[in-house]
Amino acid sequence: MDPMTLLHTITDPTRYRILELLMERHYCVRAVSKKLGISEPAVSQQMNLLKKAGVITGTKMGYHMHYLVNIDLVKETINQFAQEFTVKRNMEAEATERICEYECEKKH
């Protein structure tokens, strides 16, 4: 998944709140539902999107699935986004500099 799509996935307000909880410790859908005051089906739907993106992983504990944040993926994505942003910013700065040089040469 490309960094922009993953960032979009994790910055949705509900999914972000879920991730905040899961950064503290592992939780099952029912516990997340109770903590956030959101229905279990709604939490489950949001967590499925996070699982599909690879942002969270589940571990079966008794009858319930407990979820954790895949912190390595989140860190990797943020680093990749920062690198891509830096490269694009540098390319834009170089292009702007060339345009300025061209405009200055045209005037003289």
Side-chain angles (χ1 to χ4, degrees):
M1 180 174 291
D2 70 285
M4 288 302 289
T5 303
L6 187 60
L7 288 172
H8 176 74
T9 300
I10 65 177
T11 56
D12 169 83
T14 301
R15 290 189 290 268
Y16 187 82
R17 288 172 55 207
I18 291 169
L19 289 173
E20 284 181 316
L21 283 176
L22 296 178
M23 292 290 277
E24 295 171 10
R25 61 181 294 263
H26 62 82
Y27 285 103
C28 65
V29 170
R30 178 170 286 161
V32 172
S33 171
K34 287 182 180 181
K35 286 201 163 278
L36 297 181
I38 302 170
S39 72
E40 286 184 41
V43 169
S44 185
Q45 183 180 30
Q46 296 300 328
M47 290 177 86
N48 280 333
L49 292 170
L50 292 168
K51 280 192 302 187
K52 185 177 176 182
V55 178
I56 62 173
T57 58
T59 303
K60 188 84 167 165
M61 295 181 152
Y63 293 108
H64 301 281
M65 185 69 81
H66 286 245
Y67 296 93
L68 295 166
V69 175
N70 182 349
I71 194 68
D72 292 334
L73 176 69
V74 174
K75 284 180 182 178
E76 179 184 318
T77 300
I78 291 169
N79 288 336
Q80 187 178 356
F81 176 76
Q83 287 174 343
E84 286 182 22
F85 182 78
T86 301
V87 167
K88 288 177 182 176
R89 186 181 64 198
N90 290 343
M91 289 171 59
E92 288 173 2
E94 288 172 11
T96 301
E97 189 176 311
R98 282 193 302 271
I99 290 169
C100 289
E101 287 173 1
Y102 175 76
E103 291 296 324
C104 287
E105 287 174 7
K106 240 174 48 172
K107 289 180 183 179
H108 291 102

